[in-house]
């Protein structure tokens, strides 16, 4: 597609998204309005407000489904990057409200503005969360001076077997919803709107949240059958969110205040080996009773974990090593999902596991030291392999007239 054609098409999309344009041509019009389509939407999870101090999808109660994508910029134009963020913001406003990204296309010679697979579906609690990778701040866009000091590629960590083709990226986009088609639709349309400026580097679908981010939610189970993340940070805990999640005045980049740092890790579980292990050993690995989720030696899932010398929780048990008390009080907000990508053709075993997602104020001070300890000592390591890794700086929430990352360019 030529440059003029690309810009023209994206300009049309932007105008259509922003103002509900109706264009007559040869007896055709761009169809009925977005609102009429939305009115026909089915019932389901309510819409999550898009605008706010912080981006939705971080402290928001975790939805059931995930579509995550990392993009690489193919354009080196600063204006193209800025326009892309405006276009994505406008599309996100529509899609999180349960609406298509633009008017229903009826021109037979034009591709539809929206891909259409979410027509008739409710908003599904869709949230879209965006973050900028370290590579975005190289020389291409003149943003090197705007790179936060804390935004550094994650260092090699114990046990890593990372695949470069499914790691890192210039921009990360997290789409969470209670309807898998709604989440997929969002990423698909972001990819279409980016055409000529950015391309998908890798993507990951997830099902079944593996953490709670609200005290109103029950702790889910991972693919190993255990409750994990019982003591995760919750949206009701303002102090923990302030102290461990939201970037504050400590940042060297004012544009990031109110944002957060996102870390993703694709963790393959060797399920076949795990399924052959004895129940007693499985419980020792996690440090919890499989049925109730109670820490070993306790009766209830939320009983305090005994980390004393006489505790039944082993020195290399997962919950002991991950506990804030074992990590100098450090905490992270987890909101990962289970995944399955078919089978490993080399072994015939399931390629399934955890797409780990966490948010924090500073990865080098939170995720990295916690993972170093887990990677070196966790009994769970016998059954898992980290295959993908990425880190992104997530700007604060957008507002009307102020798209994602607007302050990045000022």
């Amino acid at each position: 597609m030529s440059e003029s054609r690309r810009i023209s098409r994206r300009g049309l999309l932007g105008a259509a998204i922003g103002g509900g344009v109706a264009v007559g041509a040869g007896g055709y019009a761009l169809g009925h309005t977005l609102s009429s389509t939305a009115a026909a939407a089915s019932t389901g999870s309510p819409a999550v407000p898009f605008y706010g101090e912080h981006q939705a999808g971080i402290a928001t109660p975790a939805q059931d489904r995930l579509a995550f994508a990392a993009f690489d910029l193919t354009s080196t134009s600063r204006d193209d990057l800025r326009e892309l963020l405006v276009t994505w913001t406008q599309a996100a406003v529509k899609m999180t409200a349960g609406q298509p990204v633009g008017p229903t296309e009826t021109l037979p010679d034009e591709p539809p503005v929206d891909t259409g697979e979410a027509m008739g579906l409710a908003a599904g609690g869709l949230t879209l969360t965006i973050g900028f990778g370290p590579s975005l701040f190289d020389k291409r866009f003149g943003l090197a001076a705007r790179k936060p000091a804390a935004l550094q590629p994650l260092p090699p960590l114990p046990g890593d077997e990372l695949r470069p083709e499914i790691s890192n990226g210039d921009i990360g986009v997290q789409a969470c919803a209670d309807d898998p088609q709604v989440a997929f639709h969002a990423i698909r349309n972001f990819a279409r709107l980016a055409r000529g400026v950015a391309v998908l580097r890798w993507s990951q679908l997830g099902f079944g949240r593996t953490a709670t981010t609200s005290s109103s939610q029950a702790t889910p189970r991972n693919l190993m059958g255990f409750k994990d993340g019982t003591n995760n940070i919750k949206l009701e805990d303002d102090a923990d969110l302030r102290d461990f999640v939201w970037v504050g005045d400590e940042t060297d980049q004012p544009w990031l205040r109110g944002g957060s740092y996102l870390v993703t890790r694709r963790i393959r579980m060797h399920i076949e080996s795990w399924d052959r292990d004895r129940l007693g050993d499985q419980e020792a690995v996690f440090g919890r009773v499989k049925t109730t989720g109670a820490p070993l030696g306790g009766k209830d899932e939320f009983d305090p974990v005994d980390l004393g010398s006489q505790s039944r929780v082993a020195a290399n048990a997962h919950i002991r090593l991950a506990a804030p008390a074992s990590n100098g009080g450090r905490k992270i907000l987890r909101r990962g999902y289970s995944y399955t990508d078919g089978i490993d053709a080399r072994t015939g075993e399931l390629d399934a596991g955890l797409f780990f997602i966490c948010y924090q104020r500073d990865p080098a001070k939170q995720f990295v030291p916690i993972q170093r300890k887990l990677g070196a000592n966790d009994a769970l390591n016998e059954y898992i392999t980290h295959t993908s890794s990425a880190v992104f700086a997530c700007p604060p929430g957008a507002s009307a007239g102020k798209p994602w990352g607007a302050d990045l360019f000022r």
Side-chain angles (χ1 to χ4, degrees):
M1 182 181 294
S2 68
E3 183 72 10
S4 59
R5 169 63 172 158
R6 172 173 59 76
I7 295 299
S8 175
R9 181 60 173 165
R10 291 182 57 223
L12 170 63
L13 290 168
I17 291 166
V21 175
V23 180
Y28 291 94
L30 282 180
H32 55 264
T33 62
L34 301 177
S35 58
S36 65
T37 301
S42 62
T43 59
S45 301
V48 176
F50 176 76
Y51 294 128
E53 179 182 3
H54 310 292
Q55 288 196 68
I58 300 176
T60 308
Q63 303 92 324
D64 194 53
R65 301 289 179 144
L66 167 77
F68 193 96
F71 291 83
D72 279 343
L73 275 293
T74 54
S75 170
T76 58
S77 164
R78 184 184 174 107
D79 288 341
D80 276 357
L81 172 58
R82 182 160 34 199
E83 184 183 351
L84 175 65
L85 294 176
V86 171
T87 300
W88 275 359
T89 301
Q90 293 169 334
V93 169
K94 293 297 183 184
M95 291 190 288
T96 55
Q99 302 173 4
V101 298
T104 300
E105 182 73 66
T106 58
L107 294 171
D109 297 328
E110 290 285 348
V113 175
D114 187 286
T115 51
E117 72 271 31
M119 288 183 182
L121 300 178
L126 174 67
T127 56
L128 285 158
T129 313
I130 192 172
F132 307 132
S135 57
L136 190 71
F137 298 88
D138 58 16
K139 297 179 180 178
R140 289 174 293 171
F141 308 104
L143 295 174
R146 297 299 184 98
K147 181 181 179 181
L151 181 62
Q152 300 296 332
L154 296 180
L157 294 167
D160 276 359
E161 295 185 20
L162 304 181
R163 294 167 50 191
E165 72 274 17
I166 56 171
S167 297
N168 304 316
D170 289 336
I171 301 178
V173 180
Q174 172 194 281
C176 296
D178 290 318
D179 185 326
Q181 192 145 317
V182 169
F184 172 80
H185 169 260
I187 294 298
R188 180 182 178 187
N189 278 277
F190 267 31
R192 293 179 75 232
L193 295 172
R195 199 161 295 164
V197 176
V199 296
L200 282 168
R201 177 182 176 88
W202 57 270
S203 65
Q204 182 68 57
L205 297 178
F207 65 94
R209 62 179 173 82
T210 60
T212 59
T213 53
S214 170
S215 56
S216 65
Q217 297 178 313
T219 308
R221 294 181 185 273
N222 59 28
L223 293 187
M224 291 177 162
F226 277 78
K227 294 187 175 186
D228 194 18
T230 294
N231 297 315
N232 197 25
I233 293 174
K234 305 293 196 298
L235 72 87
E236 292 85 1
D237 194 332
D238 291 336
D240 268 2
L241 291 173
R242 180 197 63 220
D243 295 341
F244 297 105
V245 179
W246 306 129
V247 174
D249 292 338
E250 78 282 359
T251 182
D252 59 331
Q253 296 294 340
W255 65 264
L256 190 56
R257 287 178 189 147
S260 190
Y261 288 94
L262 160 65
V263 169
T264 68
R265 305 278 287 184
R266 184 180 182 272
I267 304 173
R268 181 177 173 184
M269 295 176 175
H270 303 292
I271 291 175
E272 289 80 2
S273 298
W274 178 256
D275 290 344
R276 291 193 294 268
D277 196 13
R278 296 177 295 108
L279 174 61
D281 191 59
Q282 290 185 357
E283 293 183 335
V285 167
F286 272 97
R288 290 191 180 278
V289 178
K290 192 167 188 175
T291 53
T292 65
L296 295 181
K299 296 181 178 178
D300 181 79
E301 176 192 350
F302 294 97
D303 285 351
V305 180
D306 179 6
L307 300 178
S309 59
Q310 303 301 313
S311 171
R312 290 179 55 194
V313 179
N316 61 352
H318 183 71
I319 63 168
R320 176 185 286 274
L321 295 171
S326 301
N327 291 282
R330 298 180 180 91
K331 297 182 181 180
I332 52 178
L333 187 154
R334 301 173 47 171
R335 54 177 299 135
Y337 290 83
S338 297
Y339 79 86
T340 177
D341 288 337
I343 64 169
D344 184 334
R346 299 168 303 171
T347 64
E349 296 181 336
L350 285 169
D351 183 357
L354 167 66
F355 189 70
F356 177 89
I357 296 172
C358 71
Y359 289 89
Q360 61 253 276
R361 291 178 70 172
D362 188 335
K365 295 179 179 177
Q366 294 171 256
F367 171 77
V368 171
I370 293 172
Q371 183 54 36
R372 277 204 174 110
K373 177 171 289 189
L374 288 167
N377 304 292
D378 194 349
L380 193 56
N381 293 334
E382 181 180 350
Y383 302 97
I384 61 174
T385 302
H386 288 236
T387 61
S388 164
S389 178
V391 60
F392 304 95
C394 302
S399 59
K402 188 177 180 182
W404 275 326
D407 290 339
L408 184 62
F409 300 96
R410 293 177 179 171

